[in-house]
Amino acid sequence: MANAAAISANRLELLQIADAVAREKLIDRELVLEAMEDSLGKAARARYGADVDVRASIDRKSGEITMTRVKEVVEDVENYQGQMSIEEARALNPEAEIGDFIEIDTLPTMEFGRVAAQTAKQVIVQKVREAERERQYDEYKDRVGTIINGVVKRVEYGNVIVDLGRGEGVIRRDQLIPRETYRVGDRIRAYVRDVRAEVRGPQIFLSRTAPEFMAELFKMEVPEIYDGVIEIKAVARDPGSRAKIGVISYDNSIDPVGACVGMRGSRVQAVVSELQGEKIDIIPWTEDAATFLVNALQPAEVSKVVMDEDSERVEVVVPEEQLSLAIGRRGQNVRLASQLTGWDIDILTEEEESSRRQAEFAERSKLFMETMNLDETVAQLLVSEGFASLEEVAYIDLEELAAIEGFDEETAEELQARARESLEEANQAALEKARALGAEEALIAFQGLSPQMVQALAEAGVTTLEDFATCADWELAGGFTEGPDGKRVKDDGILEPFDVTLDEAQRLVMGARIALGMVTPEAVAEMAAQAAAAEAAAQEAAAEAAADAARNAPLDPWARR
C-alpha cells in the first residue's frame, strides 16, 4: 500500500495513494494522510533513536515531506533527547508553557530501508483499518431497530454471515427461523438487533426471529402503520409456526385488522411469505385487559375471566369442547396469548371451575364453623357474601356486616368479637411455637411481621433480627432461578404463603438493617434514589434510541420494499 521508495521518488504519488485508499475504504482523505505522517515519524524514530521525538508532515498540495524534531517542555528534565526545561523553551518561544512541544530543528528527508518501509506500511494499514471500523460502526449504530437487506457471504456452524455492502452482519443459529436454510449468494432480509464496537471491529447482530422483525415488516407493507394511523401495540411469536399481533387504529374510519390484512390478504401474505409461512393472528388491541385477553385467545370462545391484578395472573374459563382449542398444539395458543398480554394465564373448563368453587366454598364455610363456632347456615352466608378469612370478618366496618340480609347490629358485633377472639388465640399459639423454636423477642416485636410470619421464619431457622436482616428479598417472597438445563425453577419464599411481594420483603429487610444500625435511613434513601435515577436513565435511553430509529427511517414507505 505504502512503498517508501515510491514516496521519495515521487512526492505527488503520496497524495494519489491517499486519494485511492480514501475512496476504496470510504474514509476521509485526511485520516489517510495523518496515518502516513504517523508511519513516517515512527520510521524516523527507528533511525534516530526511540528517545527522539520526530514529527513528519506531508504538504497537502505538493506532497513534500518535512521531518521536524520536537521536545516537550517539562519542569524536571529526565530525557534530554525528547524534553527541555521551561527556561530553554522560552529562550526559543517566550510564550511557551509546561506541556507544550517546541520545534528544535528540521531533519533531512531520509531514504527508508526495507524494514523501515515495512514498519511504515504496517502503521498505515492499522490506522486505515481503525478508521474503517469506526466508519462502519458510526454507519450501522443508528440502524439498530430497522430491517436491512444483504447477501449471504458464508455459513459457519449454522450461523449465517451476511454481506451488508459496507460491513458484515451475523445471524446466529438461534436467530434463524426453524427449518430455513441459506446458501452463499442468497439474498436475505433481517432485523438489526444490536451493533457493538469491539476490538476486532463493529459486530452487527441480526435476527429473523425477533418480534420486532415482524412489526417492521408490517410497517413496510401497511402504509397506515408507517404513518402512525395504526400502531402495533404488542407482538408474540413462535418463529416459523405462529404469531399474534395486537393493533389499534387512531382513526375511527380505519379498521386496524382489515388494513393489516389488505385486499384479499395481500399485505399479510407478503409478511407470511417472508417468515416462511408463519401463521399470523391479527387482534384488535384495547386498554381493557380482560377484553384484549379474550381476543388474544381466539379462535377459542371464553366463558369467564377472573383477573388478579396484583400478581398479574388470570383464570380463563372455557367450555369443555373449547379447551384444546384454547390451549393450542403443545400449549402454543395460550403461550402466545400470555406473551402478547403480559399476563400469566390459567385455563379451566366450566366443570373444573365449578368444582373448584364448590371446594373453596366448603373449605371457607368449615373455617368459619370451626374457628368462630358458627352453624353451617351462618358460615355459608358469610362465604356467599365474599368473606374468605377471619381478618376480613374481624376488621370490616360494622355497618357493612350488619347490612347483610338476616344480620342485625348485635349479630354483627358478636361475629366480630368471635373472629377477633379466634385470631388472638391463633396469634398466641403461633407466638408460643415461635418461642419454642428459639425466636427472640426483637424479631417477634419487629413491626411488619405477624405472629404467623414469625412462626414461619422460626421454622425456617430465622430466629433473630440479625438472621432476618441478612435474608435476601427472594428468600422471603420467593422467585425464579435458572436451572442447569436453562429452565426456570421456582424458589418458594418463607413468607410467600402470606402474599408478601418482593418490594415488601425488601422494605422489611431494609427496616431490620436500619434497626440494627447496619445501614442508615439516609443511605437507604440514597440507594433508592440511585435506583430510580438509573431506571429513568434507561427509559430515557430507550426513548432516544426509538426516536433515532424513527428519524433514520426512510420517508417513503413503498421505497423500503
Side-chain angles (χ1 to χ4, degrees):
M1 184 186 298
N3 187 293
I7 291 175
S8 59
N10 186 349
R11 295 169 182 169
L12 288 177
E13 191 174 345
L14 270 179
L15 303 181
Q16 295 171 359
I17 293 172
D19 289 337
V21 173
R23 284 195 302 270
E24 180 186 351
K25 301 297 184 181
L26 300 172
I27 59 178
D28 189 3
R29 172 177 181 264
E30 187 66 23
L31 291 173
V32 181
L33 289 171
E34 289 175 0
M36 289 180 169
E37 291 173 343
D38 289 345
S39 67
L40 292 171
K42 186 173 181 180
R45 285 193 293 274
R47 175 173 179 177
Y48 291 108
D51 294 336
V52 180
D53 191 352
V54 180
R55 306 286 177 88
S57 175
I58 300 175
D59 189 280
R60 299 311 192 245
K61 293 183 178 179
S62 66
E64 184 176 352
I65 302 171
T66 304
M67 297 285 190
T68 307
R69 183 162 63 99
V70 300
K71 287 187 177 183
E72 183 182 7
V73 182
V74 296
E75 291 184 4
D76 299 321
V77 178
E78 298 178 356
N79 172 21
Y80 289 95
Q81 294 288 344
Q83 297 175 341
M84 65 192 312
S85 65
I86 185 68
E87 293 80 11
E88 293 175 316
R90 286 181 176 170
L92 298 174
N93 182 2
E95 298 181 356
E97 299 290 343
I98 300 295
D100 289 348
F101 288 89
I102 304 298
E103 292 186 3
I104 304 302
D105 50 23
T106 301
L107 302 175
T109 304
M110 64 182 191
E111 294 292 334
F112 292 97
R114 183 182 61 81
V115 175
Q118 188 65 25
T119 301
K121 178 179 179 180
Q122 290 173 356
V123 173
I124 294 173
V125 170
Q126 180 64 24
K127 291 283 185 181
V128 169
R129 186 177 292 126
E130 290 175 359
E132 186 179 14
R133 288 171 178 171
E134 185 175 353
R135 190 266 308 161
Q136 287 180 354
Y137 177 73
D138 290 338
E139 179 176 349
Y140 288 102
K141 70 177 181 180
D142 295 328
R143 301 190 67 176
V144 173
T146 63
I147 287 179
I148 198 167
N149 295 315
V151 177
V152 176
K153 190 172 184 179
R154 61 184 182 276
V155 180
E156 298 177 349
Y157 304 105
N159 304 320
V160 177
I161 312 302
V162 182
D163 183 359
L164 302 175
R166 297 182 180 180
E168 282 187 0
V170 58
I171 308 179
R172 298 175 63 91
R173 183 167 51 187
D174 60 342
Q175 296 299 317
L176 288 168
I177 296 174
R179 296 179 299 280
E180 70 175 353
T181 57
Y182 287 97
R183 291 177 295 182
V184 175
D186 288 349
R187 295 196 61 81
I188 190 170
R189 180 184 289 176
Y191 176 81
V192 183
R193 291 176 57 237
D194 192 16
V195 178
R196 302 176 194 166
E198 297 185 359
V199 176
R200 56 184 177 178
Q203 299 296 301
I204 305 169
F205 296 94
L206 309 176
S207 173
R208 285 178 56 80
T209 61
E212 296 86 356
F213 181 48
M214 174 177 287
E216 289 296 313
L217 287 173
F218 269 104
K219 190 183 293 185
M220 293 170 61
E221 297 295 335
V222 184
E224 292 87 348
I225 295 178
Y226 182 83
D227 294 336
V229 178
I230 295 175
E231 181 183 357
I232 297 177
K233 300 290 287 186
V235 181
R237 290 184 64 191
D238 187 353
S241 178
R242 192 173 177 186
K244 293 177 181 284
I245 66 169
V247 293
I248 185 173
S249 173
Y250 297 109
D251 186 337
N252 293 333
S253 64
I254 297 178
D255 173 24
V257 176
C260 292
V261 171
M263 184 71 69
R264 296 181 180 177
S266 58
R267 292 175 176 176
V268 71
Q269 280 303 319
V271 178
V272 169
S273 299
E274 178 65 38
L275 299 178
Q276 307 295 321
E278 190 170 315
K279 297 177 182 177
I280 303 173
D281 296 337
I282 304 174
I283 299 160
W285 187 89
T286 175
E287 289 186 355
D288 181 29
T291 303
F292 182 48
L293 195 140
V294 170
N295 293 337
L297 283 169
Q298 292 178 357
E301 298 177 2
V302 176
S303 302
K304 185 167 65 172
V305 173
V306 181
M307 309 186 76
D308 182 354
E309 295 185 357
D310 292 334
S311 61
E312 291 194 344
R313 294 191 69 88
V314 59
E315 290 183 357
V316 176
V317 181
V318 298
E320 182 72 35
E321 65 275 8
Q322 293 285 317
L323 180 62
S324 60
L325 193 60
I327 295 175
R329 186 180 61 180
R330 298 178 182 174
Q332 186 184 66
N333 192 55
V334 68
R335 184 173 63 253
L336 290 176
S338 179
Q339 294 174 10
L340 192 71
T341 60
W343 290 71
D344 292 330
I345 302 175
D346 296 326
I347 295 185
L348 304 172
T349 64
E350 293 175 344
E351 183 179 347
E352 290 173 338
E353 196 262 348
S354 176
S355 300
R356 197 194 64 180
R357 295 288 179 196
Q358 291 176 6
E360 286 180 356
F361 189 88
E363 184 180 346
R364 291 173 183 173
S365 299
K366 183 179 179 182
L367 170 69
F368 292 138
M369 290 168 60
E370 292 178 350
T371 57
M372 296 174 61
N373 195 23
L374 300 177
D375 59 35
E376 185 176 3
T377 303
V378 177
Q380 290 179 350
L381 182 57
L382 286 172
V383 176
S384 63
E385 289 293 330
F387 291 96
S389 66
L390 290 173
E391 288 82 1
E392 293 178 2
V393 178
Y395 301 112
I396 192 175
D397 186 71
L398 184 64
E399 294 180 358
E400 289 187 38
L401 192 59
I404 297 175
E405 186 177 355
F407 289 175
D408 54 22
E409 188 171 337
E410 182 179 352
T411 304
E413 290 178 351
E414 176 63 23
L415 288 173
Q416 285 199 329
R418 292 189 184 186
R420 289 171 182 171
E421 181 182 354
S422 181
L423 284 173
E424 184 61 29
E425 291 176 357
N427 289 343
Q428 289 300 322
L431 290 178
E432 288 178 7
K433 290 181 181 178
R435 288 190 177 99
L437 291 169
E440 295 185 356
E441 291 302 319
L443 181 64
I444 293 173
F446 183 70
Q447 187 174 3
L449 294 178
S450 68
Q452 286 77 12
M453 290 181 181
V454 175
Q455 180 186 343
L457 288 168
E459 290 173 348
V462 181
T463 57
T464 66
L465 195 58
E466 288 80 2
D467 293 341
F468 184 71
T470 58
C471 289
D473 51 9
W474 61 267
E475 290 181 290
L476 300 177
F480 288 88
T481 55
E482 190 171 307
D485 56 355
K487 295 183 178 179
R488 297 179 72 199
V489 179
K490 179 72 172 67
D491 292 321
D492 295 329
I494 301 172
L495 302 182
E496 191 173 355
F498 305 97
D499 297 327
V500 174
T501 65
L502 281 172
D503 287 340
E504 291 169 344
Q506 193 173 47
R507 284 196 293 270
L508 286 171
V509 170
M510 282 300 178
R513 292 174 182 175
I514 291 173
L516 292 170
M518 298 169 65
V519 293
T520 63
E522 293 76 13
V524 174
E526 184 178 353
M527 288 192 312
Q530 290 175 349
E535 183 177 357
Q539 292 176 350
E540 183 178 351
E544 288 179 359
D548 289 343
R551 282 195 296 269
N552 292 321
L555 296 177
D556 182 5
W558 302 103
R560 301 178 64 187
R561 292 184 172 234

